[in-house]
């Protein structure tokens, strides 16, 4: 891991490649004073590139699988005009007769 350091005696700044478990450096490579301080760094950030990473934590949909869609909770939009009224009653289906 790369750490940033600054010397409080001479204001020299440098970076050092160290393991996380190593102690912080204290000696300045410029003035050799024991006043080096490890800086708090914002780091490089965490960037995910490529397909398969989404905000919801799930990967991309596999090809060939059925996609499910959540039902809409929004109310259906109202139509501008009321449905047309019909005078005819719906046709009744003829029931097959059972020969007795």
């Amino acid at each position: 891991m790369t750490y940033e350091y600054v010397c409080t005696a001479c204001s020299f700044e440098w970076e050092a490649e160290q393991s996380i478990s190593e102690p912080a450096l204290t000696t300045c490579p410029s003035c050799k004073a024991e006043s080096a301080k490890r800086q708090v760094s914002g780091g490089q950030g965490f960037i995910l590139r490529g397909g398969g990473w989404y905000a919801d934590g799930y990967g991309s949909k596999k090809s060939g699988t059925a996609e499910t869609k959540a039902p809409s909770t929004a109310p259906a939009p109202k139509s501008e005009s009321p449905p047309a009224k019909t005078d005819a009653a719906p046709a009744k289906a003829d029931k097959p007769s059972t020969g007795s």
Side-chain angles (χ1 to χ4, degrees):
M1 183 157 201
T2 303
Y3 291 101
E4 296 176 9
Y5 286 89
V6 65
C7 177
T8 57
C10 69
S11 300
F12 181 71
E13 296 179 356
W14 74 98
E15 292 181 346
E17 190 76 26
Q18 292 180 282
S19 171
I20 293 174
S21 61
E22 289 182 58
L25 300 176
T26 57
T27 306
C28 172
S30 178
C31 70
K32 308 295 186 218
E34 293 290 323
S35 58
K37 299 290 180 189
R38 185 183 284 176
Q39 299 297 295
V40 176
S41 176
Q44 298 299 319
F46 186 72
I47 300 171
L48 297 173
R49 292 191 177 153
W53 294 98
Y54 295 89
D56 63 1
Y58 294 98
S60 61
K61 304 258 189 284
K62 304 280 189 249
S63 62
T65 59
E67 292 185 26
T68 59
K69 187 175 181 181
S72 175
T73 57
K78 294 182 179 181
S79 61
E80 303 232 352
S81 59
K85 293 184 178 181
T86 58
D87 293 333
K92 293 184 181 179
D94 293 332
K95 293 183 180 178
S97 60
T98 56
S100 312

